[in-house]
Amino acid sequence: MEKTPSYFVTKEAPARISSMAKGTKLIVVVRDPVTRAISDYTQTLSKKPDIPTFESLTFKNRTTGLIDTSWSAIQIGIYAKHLENWLLYFPIGQILFVSGERLISDPAGELGRVQDFLGLKRIITDKHFYFNKTKGFPCLKKAEGSSKPHCLGKTKGRTHPDIDQEVVQRLRDFYRPFNMKFYQMTGQDFGWD
């Protein structure tokens, strides 16, 4: 197993992985691209507090509403574009798309889908999780080989800055056609809007 979020958006990755192991099963966790962009911005902001506002980085021209698709936080969420590249090398049946939202609302259900996809016996169930209100995420009741609960690290579950709702709506409108295409390509409606 190997993982990194950047594989899905790196143009060369599908060809390289295919040439190494054509039968590889791929698991891609996706979430609402607007939320994802804000989350990426929040992570950058935690490292560089003096960066421009989310709103100013979102647009090439705010007056006309032209979205800056060269900004990586925006580009990553155009999932249909990235998937097209992967489908040149892998059939859709070798790729499982996991909903980031359902990982939070129903972690055992989403992990059940992962276990099925990998041909594994379903071992992970609801009994393995509890919801941590402070983090806003489900956590493992205990980590493997430990008696202590395990939650995502302190870099996960950060509070997002308040973003102008008009900007959020413009981004929803921008992503909508890409999301619809992605739903069609995957046969899965993620319910983003």
Side-chain angles (χ1 to χ4, degrees):
M1 183 178 134
E2 169 58 16
K3 71 149 187 98
T4 182
S6 65
Y7 285 156
F8 188 59
V9 299
T10 302
K11 194 160 180 54
E12 301 79 19
R16 288 179 182 163
I17 293 170
S18 177
S19 70
M20 252 182 353
K22 213 170 203 32
T24 298
K25 289 187 174 186
L26 304 162
I27 301 170
V28 182
V29 179
V30 291
R31 65 189 295 196
D32 179 327
V34 176
T35 307
R36 187 183 206 310
I38 295 168
S39 183
D40 283 359
Y41 173 79
T42 304
Q43 182 174 346
T44 303
L45 187 64
S46 73
K47 295 173 186 168
K48 299 177 186 173
D50 57 343
I51 62 170
T53 66
F54 179 85
E55 291 84 351
S56 65
L57 292 169
T58 298
F59 298 102
K60 278 189 178 173
N61 182 326
R62 187 159 181 186
T63 308
T64 63
L66 184 62
I67 304 289
D68 187 354
T69 57
S70 68
W71 184 30
S72 65
I74 300 296
Q75 203 174 85
I76 289 169
I78 307 173
Y79 302 131
K81 179 182 102 174
H82 306 303
L83 180 54
E84 283 175 343
N85 190 30
W86 284 89
L87 292 177
L88 297 173
Y89 300 91
F90 293 93
I92 195 73
Q94 277 178 234
I95 309 172
L96 176 69
F97 291 92
V98 174
S99 164
E101 289 80 14
R102 285 193 301 266
L103 267 179
I104 295 168
S105 66
D106 180 19
E110 275 305 273
L111 289 174
R113 291 180 60 240
V114 170
Q115 292 169 98
D116 293 347
F117 175 72
L118 295 174
L120 302 172
K121 181 180 169 193
R122 282 200 178 200
I123 295 174
I124 302 168
T125 65
D126 284 331
K127 70 179 183 184
H128 291 95
F129 298 96
Y130 73 95
F131 191 81
N132 182 310
K133 288 178 185 166
T134 307
K135 293 291 282 175
F137 285 102
C139 300
L140 287 170
K141 285 192 176 165
K142 62 180 189 162
E144 193 67 39
S146 168
S147 60
K148 290 189 218 168
H150 178 73
C151 256
L152 295 172
K154 63 183 175 203
T155 63
K156 300 294 180 187
R158 289 187 189 100
T159 302
H160 290 177
D162 285 330
I163 305 298
D164 181 331
Q165 284 309 297
E166 181 190 326
V167 173
V168 170
Q169 190 54 53
R170 289 246 182 120
L171 281 172
R172 293 214 178 286
D173 295 342
F174 167 78
Y175 281 118
R176 188 170 295 110
F178 297 110
N179 291 344
M180 294 303 126
K181 184 173 182 185
F182 184 64
Y183 299 170
Q184 186 179 31
M185 294 169 82
T186 62
Q188 199 173 340
D189 183 336
F190 292 89
W192 304 318
D193 197 67

